[in-house]
Amino acid sequence: SLQVNSFRPARHFFSPSANLVMASMAMSCASTAAVCTRCRRAGHLAKDCQSLPFLRLQSVAEEWAQRQARRAETDKQFEARKEEKDKKCAELESRKAAGEARQAVRPRKEADKWESESVGTESTAPSAGFVHEVDAAELERRASIDKEVRKLVKVLREICKLEECEHLETLQAAKVARKPDVQSELESVLGLARVRARNEMRREQAV
């Protein structure tokens, strides 16, 4: 007769100590994978959290007051920094205006010198017979198209527009304050342009 051997799976038996080791390993893995839903830190659950208290330390009104105080302090610091920045910009504009005023003195002196030389030339011209009258309208036209003259005229036009505004920023107010200096510089530059235009027209007539 044939004998059929049936397959029986092997049974594994663990000792109590091995079961304890496996259980501790499972618990350690579970504790490592745990993440607290309150402080968002790993290693513990929300019920065991020691980072955040379970009871409110302050009332809602007190917390709101603290937030408002911190916001007011932040706004105060921002305003202080802005005021310091505006102050530095105003000082820079004042120094720039003072420098431009000092530079405007030199062209004025040169214009007076050239004007005196031009007058001296006119006084000696009758003896030589080279008296040439220049057209005043053409003289003003040539002087007005000078590059520096047009630049200063543009600045004065912008200042006049700013004067019509009710509210001005710090830089705009500093620009408006420069109007007397710009006008003085324009007179000096325009005088130089007139002298150059007059000499140029006389040379054209002498040819």
Side-chain angles (χ1 to χ4, degrees), residues 28-177:
S28 63
C29 293
S31 62
T32 304
V35 178
C36 179
T37 58
R38 301 182 71 247
C39 65
R40 303 299 179 183
R41 295 179 182 178
H44 64 276
L45 299 176
K47 64 183 182 63
D48 301 324
C49 182
Q50 300 294 332
S51 300
L52 297 177
F54 286 89
L55 300 178
R56 185 184 295 273
L57 300 179
Q58 295 176 338
S59 63
V60 177
E62 291 175 346
E63 291 180 353
W64 181 84
Q66 287 187 354
R67 288 195 298 270
Q68 292 297 321
R70 289 194 296 267
R71 183 176 301 175
E73 183 66 22
T74 303
D75 295 341
K76 183 179 179 180
Q77 294 177 359
F78 174 77
E79 291 296 333
R81 290 194 299 268
K82 183 179 179 182
E83 183 178 356
E84 184 68 20
K85 182 179 179 181
D86 294 341
K87 183 179 179 181
K88 290 182 179 180
C89 292
E91 292 178 355
L92 179 63
E93 288 294 330
S94 63
R95 289 196 298 268
K96 183 178 179 181
E100 292 178 353
R102 288 193 298 268
Q103 293 178 0
V105 174
R106 183 177 178 182
R108 188 181 299 112
K109 292 181 179 179
E110 293 180 357
D112 296 339
K113 179 180 178 181
W114 290 0
E115 190 71 26
S116 62
E117 292 177 356
S118 177
V119 172
T121 304
E122 292 178 357
S123 61
T124 57
S127 59
F130 292 101
V131 179
H132 299 286
E133 295 294 336
V134 296
D135 187 5
E138 179 64 17
L139 178 65
E140 291 297 327
R141 188 191 69 81
R142 294 193 181 191
S144 62
I145 62 176
D146 183 78
K147 182 179 179 180
E148 293 297 327
V149 173
R150 289 189 288 109
K151 179 180 177 181
L152 293 174
V153 169
K154 181 181 178 181
V155 174
L156 279 178
R157 190 182 301 115
E158 293 176 353
I159 291 176
C160 292
K161 290 182 179 180
L162 291 175
E163 288 178 342
E164 297 176 358
C165 300
E166 296 181 358
H167 302 286
L168 297 177
E169 297 180 356
T170 303
L171 296 180
Q172 293 175 341
K175 187 174 183 179
V176 173

Side-chain angles (χ1 to χ4, degrees), residues 15-27:
S15 63
S17 59
N19 292 333
L20 182 61
V21 171
M22 295 179 64
S24 62
M25 291 176 62
M27 291 178 63

